[in-house]
Amino acid sequence: MITIANVSKVFGLDRRAATPLLAAADPSAAVGEAGGHLAVSDVSLEVARGEFFVIVGLSGSGKSTLLRMVNGLVEPTAGTVSVDGQRLDTLSAAELRTVRNRSMAMVFQHFGLFPHRTVAQNVGYGLRIRRKPTAADRERVDWAIAQVGLTPWRDHYPQELSGGMKQRVGLARALATDADILLMDEPFSALDPLIRTEMHDLLTTLQHELERTIVFVTHDLNEAMKLGDRILVMRDGHAVQLDSAAAMIGTPADGYVSRFLANVDRSRVLTAEMVMRPPLLVAHPGESPQAVLGRLERHEANGSYVVDEVTERILGVVRDGTLAELVRAGTPTIASALVQEFETVAGDRPLVELCRRVGQYCVPLAVTDPSGRLRGVVPRAALLAALADDHPEPARPASRPEVAHA
Ligand SMILES: Nc1ncnc2c1ncn2[C@@H]1O[C@H](COP(=O)(O)OP(=O)(O)OP(=O)(O)O)[C@@H](O)[C@H]1O
Ligand SMILES: [Mg+2]
């Protein structure tokens, strides 16, 4: 959807003066000596259709400049930006405006509202420059205003609003357009935490339902980790690492990224599937109590999951005490001894939701897929280790659990 190829941006020097300096051994120093500033340095990346792409970095690292090159507000000094296969540098000013208005909506860091237009007029702006407003447009504007909770302020002017409310007007404007690409520059930085969380959810829903492609700039790493399918970490104009949240936490590219990640709330970023282990013990209902009890003994476990041999769905749990009774009674299979004493969790749930759910039963918390198949388990110790550890061991590929086949 968006291709950025070897893009650099120099401020303070014209292109002719800047271009040769980019080939220097240390372009940043060379540009600096000549009195310019290298804001973005040789960045290449691709954003896929429907992706939630986050750019994160400290103030001045070049995030806004990179974002503004995507919609052509800033022209790269070197390199090319393509949107939907169209290279922006080949377009005339008029064509560029058309692309920008049709396929992109931008939420600016500093609101970007028209002071002499009402909330509703600001929200409808993106629609109006494309065509005459219709009844459907007006409905859409009202929907977008309602989404951000500003219905009572519909006919007020920006100067009557707080910073957070202005930000929500900017967001509503992006919601109202049907642009495929949303470019958002710190859209939530002025919002209260509660509204911020609501906006996160709204944006995630919007992305999934309407298949928007979102490029989102923030300096809040927790926000980046929560929202981003992939996250680009920028430092001094350079792309330092581009990865999923999990991959970045698992393998930071360098010391800078590790230190940068130190403040991440791991319990909200790491998910069940990132810390799950292959189940050590799995039994099938047709097995003999002796066999299962023997395995429990060897693993010093008090219970085992019992899964259907064909569907791999969890049928229940058997406990060591019950198994011993079955052995004494000469019962041939464990099928009659299943109890529903276990908890399951979906793989994408953050660890913070698991904390109160581990350690309650004789079997570890089960990670299941949507059809109830056992994918792995989260023993209490694994959960605590992941929350404490700097680099949690990634989930090992599920080796076959020890199972006797009848
Ligand atoms: N129009 C401009 N003219 C000159 N220098 C600029 C211009 N825009 C940005 N810069 C410089 O380029 C560098 C990167 O700026 P940019 O706004 O992209 O950073 P940022 O990562 O968005 O920072 P913040 O988190 O503070 O918004 C900064 O040093 C900034 O001073
Ligand atoms: Mg910025």
Side-chain angles (χ1 to χ4, degrees):
M1 188 95 207
I2 300 168
T3 304
I4 294 176
N6 303 104
V7 160
S8 295
K9 180 64 193 180
V10 173
F11 287 114
L13 295 175
D14 65 24
R15 183 195 290 254
R16 205 141 36 94
T19 306
L21 303 175
L22 294 175
D26 183 348
S28 184
V31 168
E33 273 163 34
H37 181 80
L38 182 56
V40 171
S41 178
D42 195 20
V43 171
S44 297
L45 57 90
E46 280 184 26
V47 180
R49 184 178 295 277
E51 185 171 19
F52 203 128
F53 190 95
V54 176
I55 304 171
V56 71
L58 299 179
S59 184
S61 57
K63 307 180 296 293
S64 296
T65 304
L66 185 59
L67 191 71
R68 283 158 170 269
M69 287 194 281
V70 172
N71 73 353
L73 280 178
V74 169
E75 201 184 329
T77 306
T80 58
V81 176
S82 308
V83 174
D84 238 348
Q86 260 190 319
R87 263 177 60 170
L88 299 188
D89 59 331
T90 63
L91 303 179
S92 69
E95 287 169 330
L96 182 60
R97 251 196 319 276
T98 308
V99 170
R100 195 186 293 148
N101 293 335
R102 288 254 167 79
S103 54
M104 297 188 243
M106 175 121 182
V107 183
F108 291 95
Q109 188 167 8
H110 300 295
F111 316 132
L113 303 182
F114 299 104
H116 55 284
R117 293 177 197 243
T118 65
V119 166
Q121 286 165 347
N122 266 288
V123 171
Y125 177 75
L127 299 172
R128 207 142 307 150
I129 52 180
R130 274 182 242 175
R131 53 172 191 259
K132 277 193 172 321
T134 61
D137 286 343
R138 272 189 291 277
E139 224 168 80
R140 203 170 163 81
V141 164
D142 287 340
W143 168 82
I145 292 175
Q147 288 297 309
V148 301
L150 287 180
T151 303
W153 297 87
R154 189 184 185 287
D155 300 314
H156 288 248
Y157 288 86
Q159 84 243 20
E160 302 168 65
L161 309 180
S162 71
M165 288 158 88
K166 283 182 202 162
Q167 222 166 36
R168 284 188 274 159
V169 177
L171 179 63
R173 180 155 69 194
L175 296 184
T177 73
D178 46 16
D180 288 336
I181 303 174
L182 298 189
L183 304 176
M184 314 185 86
D185 196 346
E186 311 217 16
F188 303 145
S189 57
L191 299 184
D192 298 327
L194 208 64
I195 299 173
R196 205 170 163 131
T197 305
E198 275 175 29
M199 291 296 133
H200 288 161
D201 295 341
L202 175 63
L203 205 53
T204 312
T205 313
L206 196 82
Q207 184 217 3
H208 288 306
E209 286 177 4
L210 305 179
E211 297 186 330
R212 306 281 181 97
T213 305
I214 300 178
V215 184
F216 187 102
V217 166
T218 179
H219 60 255
D220 178 340
L221 198 55
N222 283 310
E223 181 167 80
M225 295 268 163
K226 180 175 173 190
L227 293 174
D229 294 319
R230 284 189 306 155
I231 298 155
L232 172 71
V233 178
M234 290 193 71
R235 180 193 191 186
D236 299 336
H238 294 272
V240 191
Q241 185 165 10
L242 172 55
D243 257 320
S244 69
M248 206 171 277
I249 288 187
T251 326
D254 59 18
Y256 179 79
V257 178
S258 312
R259 284 192 300 281
F260 197 64
L261 292 175
N263 294 323
V264 168
D265 182 348
R266 311 170 68 83
S267 72
R268 290 179 197 279
V269 173
L270 296 175
T271 60
E273 64 196 348
M274 292 181 206
V275 303
M276 72 184 181
R277 306 288 153 92
L280 272 180
L281 289 167
V282 175
H284 296 143
E287 284 190 76
S288 76
Q290 286 97 327
V292 180
L293 191 56
R295 291 210 300 281
L296 288 188
E297 242 181 85
R298 280 201 297 286
H299 289 281
E300 298 183 24
N302 306 114
S304 167
Y305 278 103
V306 180
V307 304
D308 185 281
E309 220 161 337
V310 179
T311 65
E312 290 178 29
R313 282 213 192 110
I314 300 176
L315 301 170
V317 163
V318 283
R319 284 193 309 234
D320 51 359
T322 326
L323 289 173
E325 283 166 29
L326 295 186
V327 172
R328 277 198 296 276
T331 313
T333 73
I334 63 170
S336 62
L338 305 194
V339 289
Q340 301 302 311
E341 293 174 6
F342 62 95
E343 280 214 59
T344 65
V345 70
D348 65 354
R349 302 322 301 159
L351 299 192
V352 64
E353 291 180 21
L354 277 56
C355 287
R356 274 178 304 156
R357 304 176 62 192
V358 293
Q360 299 193 45
Y361 295 105
C362 68
V363 286
L365 186 63
V367 181
T368 52
D369 68 12
S371 54
R373 274 195 297 261
L374 179 62
R375 295 179 53 206
V377 294
V378 181
R380 195 178 146 88
L383 177 68
L384 295 175
L387 290 175
D389 194 1
D390 276 346
H391 301 293
E393 261 180 81
R396 273 162 297 208
S399 57
R400 298 303 303 167
E402 190 183 333
V403 191
H405 289 278

